[in-house]
Every structure is written in C-alpha cells, then in structure tokens.
C-alpha cells in the first residue's frame, strides 16, 4: 500500500477565504486525510486488517483473556497487544493535533493585537464580504432550504436530486422547520424572559464605568448587547403582527395551534401586540436613551477625546454604528418595505443623527467660544480704561481687537488640518467630520470678519492701518487656500443658491444621518465668494495706501539733499541709490512678512512699489544734472540703482512662490524699471557734453569758424584744434569720474556733439552770408576738409581704447561730408552729381521741406546758381518721399509737442539735447522763421506809427 498524500499545514492550506457553507465539508476532508496518513505512518494498517473482524471485548472480567501468571514466559494475547498499540498511537495523534491547533490559535490571537485602525478596517471588510455568508449560514442552521426544482416546467421530468427537496410540500416543510427551530425558540424565549434583568445589568455596567479609563469601550460593549435586545423586540413585533395579520412572509400553517395566542392578545389587531410588548419596549428603549445620552456626552468633547485617547473615540463611533448597521440589515431583510405601512411601530434607537447633530453643535460652540473670549477680554479692558478713554486709546483697543480676531480665525483654519489628519480617521468616512468643521469655521469666521470690516461693502476698511489690511488679505488667502485644496469644486463656483448672513447652513440630509454635500459646497462657495470680494476691496485699499506712502517717501528722498562721495579711484557717487532702495526694501519686507510667499497680492504690491520708483525717476531725473560732477555722480548712481533693483527682484522671486501671473507682472515692472535706470545712466553720462561745449560756445571759436579770418588766416585748422584740446582735457576728468562702460557712452556723445556743433556753426554762418559767403570756395572746402580730418583723427585715436567708437564717427560725420560735397558741387569744384550727398543729408534731416531749405542755403552760401538745386531736388523728390513721407500739420504739431514736454518713453529719453542733428536743424529753422515773423511784424507796426 502506498502512503496517501499528507495534508498541507492548516495555515498554508486554508489561509484563503472559504465560504462558511463549505467549511464543514473541507474540515471533514482534511480529517480523513489526517487519519489516513496517521494509520500508514504508525504501522497500524496490518493490525487493522488482521484484527478488523475481531469481536469487541466483553465486559465480563471472567471472559476477558488474561495471561497466565504461573507461566514465566507468558505474554499478552495478540488482540490485547493491538489494542495497546492503538491507544499509544492514538494518543500521539491527539498530542500532535493539539500542538498544531495551539500554534494556529496563537497566530489568530496575534491579529487581535493590531491597532484601532487595522481592527476597524478588518471589521468593515468582514461585514462587507461575509455578511451574506453569515446570513446564509444562519438560515441553514434554522431552516431547511426552500429549494428550487431543477426543471420547474411541468413537461420536464424531475432530476434525481430533487426527490429530497421539500419545495412541493410546504406543510411538511413547516413542520420540519418547527422541529429544527425548537432549540432556537426556547433560547429566545429564555432571552425574552430575562430582558428586565439584562437591562438592569447593562445599566449597572453603564453607570459603573463613568469617568473610568475604559468608559468608551464599556459603552460600546453595552451598546452591542442593547442592540440585540432591540433586534429581538423589533423582530418579535414584526413576526407577531405578521401572524396576526396573516402575512405571506410569516405563513401560519396550523392556525388552530395559535388559539392560545389569540386568547392572550385578544382581537387580531396590532394593539394587543403593542400592549403585550409595551413593558419590555419601554425598558429597552429607556436604556437606549441612557446610552444615547452617554454617547452624546462623549461626542461633545470629541476634540479633546481624539487628542487624548483616539481609541476611545473609535469605540464611541462603533457604538453608534452598531445601531445603524442593525437598522440597515433589518431594512435589507425586509426588502425595504415600509415598516409604518406594515403596522410596525418599533424603530431602532437613532444614534447617528443625534451624534452628528451634537458634533455640529459642538464644533459651532467651540468656534464661537474662541471669539467670545476675545470680545469679553476687550470689553473688560474697555471698562478698566473707560475713565481715561481718548481717541488714541480707543483706536488702540480696536486695533488690538482686530488683530485678536484674525489670530483666532487663523487658529480655527489651521485646525482644519488637525481634523483631517487626527480626527477624521477615528470616524467612519460617511460622517465627514472635516466637512462639518470646515463649514463651521467658514460661517463663523466670515461673520466675524464682516463685523470688523463693516459688512460686505467694507465700510470700515478705510479706518484700518496698512498692517491690518495686509493681515486681512493674508488671512483671506490662507482661508481660501485651505478651502480650495479640500473642495476644488468651489474654485469656479461663483454663485450660490442661498445667503447665510444670519443663519448657519443646514448641512444634513432629510433623515439627518449624513451630510448633504451639495448644501455644504453651496455654503462654502458663498463664503468663498464673499471673502473674495472683501479681499479685492482690502487689496485695493492697501495698494492705494502703499502708493501714497511710497510717493511721499520718494518725494522726500529725491528732493532732499544728497551727500556726494568720491571713491579712492575717483568715481563720483551720492547717497541716492542707498536712500531709495532702503525705502523699497523696507516696504517690500513689510508686505512680505504679512502675506504668504505665494500671494498674488504680494506680487501686485511689489509691482506697485517698483512703479512708484519708476514714476518718481521719470519726474526727477533732470534735477540731478546741474553740473558736470553732478551729472557724473547721477550717471553712476543710476547704474548702481539698476544693479540694486535687479538684486532686490531676484531675492524676492527666490524667497517667494509666485504664480505665473504674479511672476509675469513682477518681471514686466522690473524690466521697465531696469531699462529706465540704464537709459537714464547713459543719458546722464552723455549730458556732460553740454558742460564740455559750454566754454567752447562761449569762446571765440564759435564766431571764428567759417569767418573771413578762418578762411584766410587760420590756415592750420586752429579753431578745431582748440576744440579737440578742450575735449581731451574734459575727457581726462570724465574718465576718472565715470564708470568704464559710461566713458564709452560719453565718447559717443562727444562725437555726436562735435558734429552737431560744427554743422550748427555752418548754418549760422549761411544765415549771415546768404550769397557767396567765401571769397574762395576751393580754399573754404580745403579748410572744411582739414577741420573734419582733425576731428576724425582725434576720435579714431580714442577708438583704440573703445573699438566701437569708429562706427559712431563714420555714422555722425557722414552728414558733414554730405554738406561739404553739396557746397563743393555748388562751387563747381566737384564732378559728382550730388544725388548721394542730398540723400544722406535727407536721411539725417527726415523732412523733405527742411532738406530743400537746407540744400538751398548751402548752395547759395557756396555761390551756386538759384535754379540748379531746385532741378536736383525735384529729381530726388520721389526718393526722398519714400525715405520719409511728407508730414501733415497735425503730425508736425505732435512732434513739436513731444519735443517740448517731458520725455516719458524710453525712446524719447534716449535723445539727449544737443546730440541730434535732426533736432538741431529743425530747431534752427523754427527759430529762424520766428525771427523773420517778429521782424516782419515789427516793420509793419513801425511803419504804422511813423
């Protein structure tokens, strides 16, 4: 015989889920395998085969085979030996099986050491997965299955297994059911008879555990036993009323056997059943009210209970859920029928609705108590100081109260995280205590804030300080951040169905056992929208305050005196940069400490501060350019302010967490301010040309150029040599006063200023000598050529240190060469047609009319004919109009206004007065026309008076 396969260990073989209906069969199969392997391993197979037919031992001692003691070699009989061996092996089997069961039991007990959360999850999983199996097992233990024939149709023959089913014999089935349920009936009758004693025992246990450490666990155990009493009475009432009413669910087979019930209860009505059960119902449901009172008392202190003993809170919630599970299971058992319509009046004690209502009230009371304490403290302070109350004292008290209200609101909003992380896990998910707490906080805090700011219109906002406005904006952003993280759907919900100014929102469903999420979301959306309006009003108010405050501070800084410093290397600076950005830093830090790093209002405030600096820089730049040294110091200051602004913005972006909109807003504002500082630094550096050319214009050089002396006597270009030496002297000082990159800008300005100065002197000379201003045009052209070469050579030598300077010289001296070519063509000493020179001149002038006037003046000054330039200009008119279309009177008026008003755009501020040949030419002819008009008017009036 081969050894049968050994059964696997019980923990490995049956760790999977086994339906309870199959458990007995699986256990029997395993028992057979265990006994089979035991028989084979113990060598009992042969003994069983040999002695299987041996008759059982007789009880008579005389007939029992015994060994003969008189014989020394006597041995026990074979049957006795087999019995002793069987006993020994059976004892070994018992011991080994007991050890396996002990080990398995120990492993099962380890599961009971899990924490509260794991046990709670295990119980819920068992309730969901095994609930149906438990119901079927209970049904199988108390009733024979109704069964369903394999072939219910009359034409089909019955299957072989259908002969054991009682589906076709309802009376026989009822009789068998009654017999099998006999033990259950007597047990329930005994349980029913002991209801008063059980209630008294539960009351004693409930009272003895008060103020004990295990009070909540005891309440849970009492609730479990109490709900069994309620289940018994509810089922008893339903069954008895169903029998009295002849319902199909509780079919009465032998009505004559229930005559004594009819006599006991009186008429076939529900009133008799109610009178029969009334004493027990009152006793059990009174106990339920006591249990509910104890549960509500524990739930009222849920915050403290969760922090001190979360397991007790879980036990309390489980005690509530016991009643709800019983009601739900009974409702499912009754197929959802309406108990009131069936005449059943008993209902399970309603625990969850009362508990949720109590929690909501406790949350509201807790939030209100925080603010009530603050207001009482403020009133006590006011009573103490009422005798010496002044306006300052009153405002101080109001400020203190406002700050205290915001601090309390901050604490309540912060407790939302506490409720989510510590409190909510102790409750079933459908309790949604985090929603209840969030709704209470939102409703109460919003009302308190409205009282402080003067209602939804914010009428008291103007009374608050900047710090208070910042704190208000910060709290609203803090509140909205938490709410929108918990309830993302309220972000885009801009309208609500109700308003909740005077009443708290009703968050529960009709049966009061769950939170109505639609109502909760609507209430939160209303609060969110209301606070959004307050946030907008407060932000506008504090931005206006910051704008006014910064404007006043910057006025004092820009218009006040500034100490000038000279560094060891000779660089000139003032305290302007430090004074301005100390204010900027203080203002930004004040806002930053009050608002959250991700606040959009912080980005708006920073942008407003930078825009204020930009506006003040636009207004006050020119006042720093009074002298050469002041201009150099201003140029260095503006450059340092650009670097400092970049540092401030970079630090602010690194320390904060702006959104895309806030970052874009800040970058746009800072870019404009950086560009403005850079432009003004270059402008201030190039503005030094006015102080460089001031002595040159005052000297005789300006009058000697293009004079008779210049043409005949000053043959070595003496005037231009004096100009170059003056430039070189100033440039030596500027190289020390200014930063290196600004010196390059100064050199560009001196090139442009030299070209403009030389051209201006030439146009002034043509106005004084309209026809043939030179005695020898060839000698005059030689002098002009020498002057231009002298200046260009000087600047080209400077280009060795500043390589890009050569391009500036070529670009701005081109107009002087064009003027020389036009005059040479007019004096018949050039073979060129003059078209290129006229177009170069027109490109610089950018006005057809002015180009024609200037070419005509140059032509006549060189002694040319009057018709020749007209013929040349007419041939080039189309090309000139393509380069610069003719401007209307309105365009000319706007250009004139732009030149006279303060430069605001970067393009306008780049234009330094005295460095543009275009502006110089336009101003020259405008001034010339005005002089001619004045002279004409004086001539008319003089003739009239004469």
């Amino acid at each position: 015989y081969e050894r049968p396969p050994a059964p696997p260990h019980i923990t490995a073989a049956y760790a999977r889920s086994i339906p309870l209906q199959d458990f007995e069969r699986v256990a029997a199969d395993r028992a057979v395998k265990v006994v089979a392997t035991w028989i084979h391993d113990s060598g009992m197979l042969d003994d069983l085969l040999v002695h299987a037919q041996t008759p059982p031992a007789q009880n008579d001692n005389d007939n029992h085979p015994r060994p003969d003691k008189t014989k020394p070699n006597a041995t026990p009989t074979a049957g006795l030996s087999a019995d002793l061996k069987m006993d020994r092996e059976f004892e070994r089997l018992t011991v080994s099986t007991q050890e396996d069961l002990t080990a398995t039991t120990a492993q099962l007990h380890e599961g009971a050491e899990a924490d509260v959360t794991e046990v709670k999850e295990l119980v819920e999983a068992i309730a969901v997965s095994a609930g149906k199996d438990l119901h079927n097992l209970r049904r199988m233990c108390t009733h024979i299955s109704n069964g369903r024939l394999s072939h219910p149709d009359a034409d089909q023959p019955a299957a072989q297994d259908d002969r054991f089913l009682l589906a076709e014999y309802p009376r026989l089935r009822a009789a068998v059911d009654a017999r099998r349920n006999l033990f259950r009936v007597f047990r329930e009758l005994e349980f029913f008879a002991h209801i008063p004693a059980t209630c008294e025992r539960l009351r004693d246990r409930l009272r003895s555990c008060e103020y004990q450490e295990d009070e909540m666990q005891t309440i849970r155990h009492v609730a479990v036993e109490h709900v069994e009493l309620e289940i018994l009475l509810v089922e008893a009432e339903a069954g008895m009323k169903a029998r009295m009413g002849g319902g199909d669910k509780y079919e009465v087979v032998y009505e004559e056997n229930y005559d004594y019930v009819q006599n006991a209860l009186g008429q076939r009505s529900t009133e008799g059943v109610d009178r029969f059960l009334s004493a027990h119902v009152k006793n059990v449901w009174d106990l339920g009210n006591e249990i509910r009172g104890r549960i509500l008392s524990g739930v009222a202190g849920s915050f403290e209970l969760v922090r001190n003993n979360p397991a007790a809170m879980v036990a309390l919630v489980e005690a509530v859920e016991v009643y709800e599970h019983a009601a739900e299971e009974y409702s499912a058992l009754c197929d959802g029928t309406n108990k009131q319509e069936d005449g059943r009046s008993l209902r399970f004690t309603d625990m969850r609705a009362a508990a949720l209502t109590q929690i909501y009230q406790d949350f509201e009371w807790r939030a209100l108590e925080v603010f009530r304490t603050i207001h009482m403290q403020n009133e006590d302070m006011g009573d103490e100081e009422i005798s010496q109350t002044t306006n300052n004292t009153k405002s101080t008290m109001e400020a203190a109260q406002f700050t205290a209200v915001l601090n309390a609101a901050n604490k309540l909003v912060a407790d939302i995280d506490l409720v989510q992380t510590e409190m909510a896990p102790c409750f079933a998910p459908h309790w949604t205590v985090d929603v209840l707490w969030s709704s209470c906080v939102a409703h109460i805090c919003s009302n308190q804030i409205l009282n402080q700011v003067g209602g939804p219109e914010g009428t008291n906002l103007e009374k608050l300080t900047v710090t208070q406005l910042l704190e208000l904006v910060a709290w609203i952003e803090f509140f909205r951040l938490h709410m929108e993280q918990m309830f993302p759907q309220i972000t885009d919900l801009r309208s609500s169905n109700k308003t909740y100014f005077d009443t708290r929102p009703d968050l529960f469903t009709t049966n009061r056992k769950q939170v109505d999420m639609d109502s909760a979301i609507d209430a939160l959306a209303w609060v969110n929208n209301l606070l959004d309006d307050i946030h907008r009003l407060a932000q506008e108010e504090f931005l206006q305050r910051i704008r006014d405050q910064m404007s006043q501070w910057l006025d004092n800084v820009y218009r006040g005196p500034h100490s000038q410093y000279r560094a060891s290397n000779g660089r000139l600076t003032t305290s302007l940069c430090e004074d301005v950005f100390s204010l900027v830093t203080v203002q930004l830090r004040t806002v930053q400490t009050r608002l959250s790093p991700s606040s959009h209002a912080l980005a708006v405030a920073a942008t407003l501060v930078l825009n204020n600096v930009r506006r003040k820089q636009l207004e006050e730049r020119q006042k720093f350019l009074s002298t050469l040294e002041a201009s150099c110091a201003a140029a260095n200051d503006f450059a340092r302010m650009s670097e400092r602004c970049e540092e401030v913005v970079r630090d602010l972006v690194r320390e904060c967490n702006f959104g895309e909109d806030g970052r874009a807003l800040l970058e746009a504002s800072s870019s404009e301010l950086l560009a403005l500082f850079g432009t003004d630094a270059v402008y201030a550096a190039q503005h030094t040309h006015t102080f460089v050319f001031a002595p040159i214009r005052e000297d005789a050089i300006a009058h000697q150029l293009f004079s008779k002396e210049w043409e005949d006597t000053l043959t070595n270009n003496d005037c231009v040599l004096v100009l170059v030496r003056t430039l070189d002297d100033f440039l030596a000082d500027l190289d020390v006063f200014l930063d290196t990159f600004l010196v390059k800008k100064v050199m560009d300005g001196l090139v442009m200023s030299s070209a403009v100065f030389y051209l201006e002197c030439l146009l002034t000379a043509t106005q004084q000598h309209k026809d043939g201003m030179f005695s020898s045009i060839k000698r005059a052209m030689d002098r002009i050529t020498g002057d231009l070469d002298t200046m260009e050579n000087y600047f080209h030598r400077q280009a060795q240190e500043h390589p890009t300077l050569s391009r500036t010289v070529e670009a701005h001296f081109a107009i002087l060469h064009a003027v020389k070519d036009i005059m040479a063509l007019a004096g018949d000493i050039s073979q060129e047609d003059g078209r290129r020179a006229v177009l170069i001149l027109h490109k610089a002038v950018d006005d057809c009319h002015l180009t024609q006037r200037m070419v005509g003046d140059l032509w006549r000054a060189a002694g040319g004919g009057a018709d020749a330039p007209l013929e040349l200009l007419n041939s080039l008119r189309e090309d000139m109009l393509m380069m610069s279309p003719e401007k209307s009177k309105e365009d000319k008026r706007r250009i004139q206004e732009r030149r006279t008003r303060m430069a605001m755009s970067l393009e306008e501020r780049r234009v330094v007065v005295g460095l543009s040949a275009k502006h110089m030419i336009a101003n020259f002819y405008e001034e010339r026309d005005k002089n001619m008009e004045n002279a004409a008017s004086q001539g008319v009036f003089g003739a009239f008076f004469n």
Side-chain angles (χ1 to χ4, degrees):
Y1 298 97
E2 296 181 356
R3 183 181 186 275
H9 194 272
I10 187 171
T11 57
Y14 306 108
R16 67 185 187 278
S17 176
I18 300 177
L20 295 176
Q21 297 93 328
D22 300 336
F23 181 79
E24 184 176 358
R25 179 182 55 79
V26 173
D29 293 341
R30 175 172 176 80
V32 171
K33 293 179 181 179
V34 171
V35 173
T37 54
W38 165 70
I39 292 174
H40 184 277
D41 295 340
S42 60
M44 298 295 297
L45 184 60
D46 295 335
D47 295 337
L48 290 175
L49 292 176
V50 173
H51 301 286
Q53 302 300 326
T54 302
Q58 298 180 3
N59 293 331
D60 189 359
N61 295 334
D62 296 337
N63 296 331
H64 196 281
R66 296 176 182 273
D68 189 357
K69 297 182 180 180
T70 61
K71 298 180 181 180
N73 295 329
T75 58
T77 63
L80 183 59
S81 175
D83 291 340
L84 294 176
K85 184 178 181 181
M86 177 70 73
D87 293 338
R88 289 195 302 270
E89 294 300 332
F90 186 77
E91 184 178 357
R92 292 178 183 175
L93 175 63
T94 303
V95 172
S96 62
T97 304
Q98 186 64 36
E99 291 177 353
D100 292 342
L101 291 176
T102 303
T104 303
T105 303
Q107 294 180 1
L108 291 175
H109 286 172
E110 290 178 359
E113 298 178 359
D115 58 9
V116 176
T117 305
E118 295 175 352
V119 173
K120 179 181 177 183
E121 293 177 356
L122 179 61
V123 171
E124 291 179 354
I126 292 175
V128 173
S129 62
K132 187 175 181 181
D133 293 336
L134 290 173
H135 173 68
N136 292 335
L137 179 61
R138 181 181 180 186
R139 184 179 179 185
M140 291 175 62
C141 294
T142 56
H143 301 279
I144 290 181
S145 172
N146 292 331
R148 186 170 60 88
L149 299 179
S150 303
H151 303 285
D153 297 336
D155 298 337
Q156 298 292 338
Q160 184 70 15
D161 295 337
D162 291 344
R163 67 181 185 276
F164 298 108
L165 296 178
L166 301 178
E168 295 182 351
Y169 311 100
R171 293 181 178 275
L172 178 60
R173 188 184 70 214
V176 175
D177 286 350
R179 181 179 179 182
R180 294 195 175 189
N181 292 335
L182 191 58
F183 174 76
R184 175 173 174 265
V185 168
F186 279 106
R187 182 174 58 83
E188 291 185 354
L189 286 175
E190 183 180 5
F191 187 69
F192 187 83
H194 288 83
I195 285 179
T198 303
C199 290
E200 191 62 28
R201 177 176 56 83
L202 294 179
R203 283 191 178 91
D204 293 340
R205 189 176 180 186
L206 195 64
R207 294 164 184 168
S208 63
C209 71
E210 191 171 5
Y211 304 116
Q212 300 297 322
E213 186 177 355
D214 60 343
E215 178 182 2
M216 303 307 168
Q217 287 78 3
T218 304
I219 292 176
R220 176 179 57 189
H221 296 318
V222 171
V224 171
E225 293 190 47
H226 175 260
V227 82
E228 292 179 358
L229 297 175
E230 289 193 349
I231 291 173
L232 175 64
L233 292 176
V234 169
E235 290 183 345
E237 182 203 29
M240 295 172 69
K241 289 183 178 180
R243 286 182 181 273
M244 298 301 294
D248 295 335
K249 186 172 180 61
Y250 299 93
E251 182 180 1
V252 180
V253 179
Y254 302 105
E255 294 188 1
E256 63 273 10
N257 295 333
Y258 298 96
D259 291 340
Y260 69 96
V261 178
Q262 300 297 327
N263 297 329
L265 299 179
Q267 300 178 351
R268 294 173 58 90
S269 63
T270 60
E271 296 178 359
V273 176
D274 293 338
R275 286 195 302 270
F276 177 73
L277 298 176
S278 60
H280 295 303
V281 168
K282 184 177 185 305
N283 196 3
V284 172
W285 262 259
D286 286 346
L287 177 60
N289 292 333
E290 292 184 26
I291 296 174
R292 180 167 57 187
R294 295 290 294 276
I295 290 176
L296 296 182
S297 177
V299 166
S302 54
F303 259 91
E304 290 72 16
L305 191 60
V306 165
R307 293 182 178 180
N308 300 328
N309 191 357
M313 190 72 250
V314 173
L316 208 58
V317 174
E318 289 176 352
V320 174
E321 290 300 307
V322 164
Y323 294 89
E324 298 303 322
H325 292 163
E328 292 171 2
E329 290 181 6
Y330 183 74
S331 176
L333 182 63
C334 296
D335 297 329
T337 58
N338 193 325
K339 300 178 183 180
Q340 191 64 32
E341 292 179 359
D342 291 343
R344 295 187 289 271
S345 60
L346 291 184
R347 303 176 188 274
F348 292 96
T349 303
D350 193 359
M351 293 290 186
R352 187 193 296 169
L356 283 175
T357 303
Q358 182 63 44
I359 289 177
Y360 193 27
Q361 293 176 355
D362 176 62
F363 284 172
E364 185 179 27
W365 176 86
R366 184 181 182 86
L368 287 173
E369 185 63 23
V370 173
F371 291 106
R372 189 179 297 114
T373 303
I374 293 172
H375 294 309
M376 290 178 63
Q377 292 175 353
N378 188 70
E379 290 176 1
D380 294 341
M381 186 183 302
D383 294 338
E384 293 176 0
E385 299 180 0
I386 193 169
S387 59
Q388 42 184 326
T389 299
T390 61
N391 291 333
N392 293 334
T393 305
K394 184 177 180 181
S395 60
T396 303
M397 291 171 57
E398 292 176 351
Q401 182 179 6
F402 181 85
T403 304
V405 168
L406 286 185
N407 291 337
N410 270 327
K411 181 182 181 302
L412 293 178
V413 175
D415 284 343
I416 294 177
D417 295 334
L418 174 67
V419 173
Q420 278 188 310
T421 57
E422 297 185 16
M423 195 169 185
C426 298
F427 292 83
H430 49 265
W431 286 53
T432 56
V433 292
D434 52 345
V435 178
L436 293 177
W437 175 251
S438 301
S439 300
C440 285
V441 170
H443 176 69
I444 294 172
C445 289
S446 62
N447 283 335
Q448 293 291 329
I449 295 299
L450 287 179
N451 291 335
Q452 294 295 320
V453 301
E457 296 80 12
T459 56
N460 293 339
L461 288 176
E462 59 184 12
K463 301 178 181 179
L464 302 180
T465 63
V466 174
T467 302
Q468 291 174 334
L469 290 170
L470 288 174
E471 291 176 349
L472 176 60
V473 170
W475 179 85
I476 295 176
E477 292 179 349
F478 178 63
F479 171 83
R480 294 180 61 191
L481 177 64
H482 276 71
M483 290 301 169
E484 292 177 3
Q485 284 180 349
M486 289 184 60
F487 311 99
Q489 56 269 43
I490 71 173
T491 304
D492 301 326
L493 189 60
R494 295 302 175 190
S495 62
S496 61
N497 300 328
K498 303 177 183 178
T499 58
Y500 305 93
F501 286 110
D502 300 325
T503 59
R504 69 177 183 179
D506 186 6
L507 304 182
F508 298 110
T509 55
T510 305
N511 60 6
R512 315 294 294 177
K513 292 185 177 182
Q514 284 186 340
V515 174
D516 185 3
M517 290 303 298
D518 292 337
S519 299
I521 293 300
D522 182 75
L524 291 173
W526 179 81
V527 173
N528 196 52
N529 296 337
L530 178 65
L531 292 179
D532 186 40
D533 295 337
I534 298 298
H535 179 275
R536 176 180 53 80
L537 295 174
Q539 180 174 311
E540 292 175 356
E541 182 66 26
F542 96 79
L543 289 178
Q544 182 62 40
R545 301 276 189 88
I546 290 179
R547 182 184 295 109
D548 297 340
Q549 191 177 58
M550 280 299 297
S551 178
Q552 181 180 359
W553 289 355
L554 291 174
D555 284 343
N556 297 333
V557 169
Y558 271 87
R559 296 175 183 176
H562 301 282
S563 303
Q564 191 175 99
Y565 306 100
R566 184 188 296 269
S568 58
N569 58 359
R571 298 287 188 272
L572 295 178
T573 58
T574 67
S575 60
L576 178 65
C577 176
E578 288 74 16
D579 295 341
V580 170
F581 279 93
S582 62
L583 296 179
V584 171
T585 304
V586 168
Q587 193 68 275
L588 291 180
R589 289 299 177 190
T590 302
V591 178
Q592 189 176 356
T593 54
R594 296 296 190 279
L595 300 179
S596 64
S598 59
S599 172
H600 182 71
L602 176 57
V604 175
T607 301
L608 180 62
V609 171
L610 297 181
N611 289 342
N612 263 321
V613 176
R614 181 176 178 273
R615 180 181 59 82
K616 189 56 62 176
Q617 178 69 19
L618 288 172
E619 296 175 356
E620 303 294 340
R621 177 190 67 177
Q622 203 64 30
K623 72 181 291 291
F624 298 102
L625 310 179
S626 57
T627 63
L628 178 68
E629 289 79 5
S631 298
C632 293
N636 291 329
D637 287 339
F638 296 156
R640 291 192 304 124
M641 291 169 76
S642 177
E643 297 174 357
R644 186 75 180 95
C645 177
E646 189 173 6
E647 293 177 3
V648 169
V649 174
R650 184 174 61 249
D651 294 342
L652 189 63
V653 172
R654 185 182 67 253
E655 295 172 3
C656 299
N657 186 23
F658 295 125
E660 293 183 2
D661 295 340
R663 186 184 293 271
L665 189 65
L666 186 60
E667 288 179 353
S669 177
S670 61
S671 298
E672 292 179 357
L673 185 57
L674 290 174
L676 178 63
F677 281 139
T679 300
D680 286 355
V682 174
Y683 181 92
Q686 292 183 343
H687 185 264
T688 56
H689 84 92
T690 57
F691 305 105
V692 173
F693 275 87
I696 296 176
R697 294 178 183 277
E698 295 174 359
D699 200 359
I701 298 175
H703 304 286
Q704 290 177 349
L705 280 173
F706 309 110
S707 63
K708 186 69 174 176
E709 182 182 5
W710 168 79
E711 180 183 355
D712 297 335
T713 307
L714 304 176
T715 57
N716 294 323
N717 308 108
D718 297 327
C719 293
V720 174
L721 287 175
V722 173
L723 185 148
V724 168
R725 293 192 190 98
T726 304
L727 294 180
D728 194 57
D729 291 340
F730 278 100
L731 189 59
D733 294 334
L734 294 173
D735 194 20
V736 175
F737 294 161
L738 294 172
D739 199 21
T740 304
F741 87 96
L742 292 175
V743 174
K744 165 64 177 59
K745 300 298 180 181
V746 169
M747 292 299 304
D748 293 339
L750 293 179
V751 170
M752 293 183 282
S753 182
S754 299
V756 170
F757 172 76
Y758 196 82
L759 182 59
E760 184 180 6
C761 291
L762 178 59
L763 290 177
T764 303
T766 59
Q767 185 179 5
Q768 297 175 355
H769 307 84
K770 296 183 178 180
D771 296 325
M773 59 180 292
F774 302 116
S775 57
S776 173
I777 188 61
K778 184 177 181 306
R779 187 165 59 246
M781 293 300 103
D782 291 339
R783 296 287 183 272
I784 293 176
T785 302
D787 290 344
L788 297 181
D789 291 342
T790 301
M791 289 188 291
E792 287 178 333
N793 290 335
Y794 170 74
F795 290 121
H796 282 306
R797 288 195 302 271
Q798 299 296 328
Q800 295 177 359
E801 297 181 5
H802 309 284
T804 59
L805 187 62
S806 298
R807 293 197 296 270
T808 306
V809 174
E810 294 175 3
H812 290 275
F813 272 76
I815 187 174
L816 298 180
H817 289 285
V819 168
K820 184 194 72 172
D821 293 342
I822 292 173
M823 296 183 71
L825 180 63
D828 295 330
I829 59 174
S830 175
Q831 303 300 322
E832 297 182 0
D833 57 358
R835 297 174 62 87
R836 179 175 178 276
V838 173
L839 292 178
I840 291 175
L841 180 63
H842 177 67
K843 181 180 179 181
V845 175
D846 194 28
D847 189 303
C848 292
H849 178 66
L850 292 181
T851 302
Q852 292 175 358
R853 293 185 64 180
M854 186 173 178
V855 170
D857 290 343
L858 294 175
W859 198 276
R860 287 188 296 272
D867 297 334
L870 295 178
E871 183 179 352
L872 176 62
L873 292 173
N874 290 334
S875 64
L876 294 174
R877 183 171 181 80
E878 293 184 2
D879 295 334
M880 293 165 61
L881 290 175
M882 290 180 61
M883 294 174 63
S884 57
E886 189 171 0
K887 298 179 179 61
S888 62
K889 293 183 178 180
E890 185 65 22
D891 294 336
K892 293 180 180 180
R893 184 184 64 80
R894 284 198 298 267
I895 294 174
Q896 179 65 25
E897 290 179 354
R898 187 183 304 169
R899 287 204 302 265
T900 55
R901 66 177 173 83
M902 183 181 66
M904 298 299 293
S905 66
L906 292 179
E907 189 65 28
E908 295 174 358
R909 294 178 73 83
R910 290 192 181 100
V911 179
V912 183
V913 177
L915 298 187
S916 173
K918 172 184 174 180
H919 292 167
M920 184 274 296
I921 294 171
N923 292 334
F924 176 81
Y925 281 102
E926 287 178 6
E927 188 68 23
R928 179 177 173 181
D929 292 341
K930 289 181 181 179
N931 293 336
M932 293 176 63
E933 290 177 1
N934 293 335
S937 62
Q938 290 178 2
V940 171
F941 281 108
F944 174 77
F945 285 111
N946 290 333

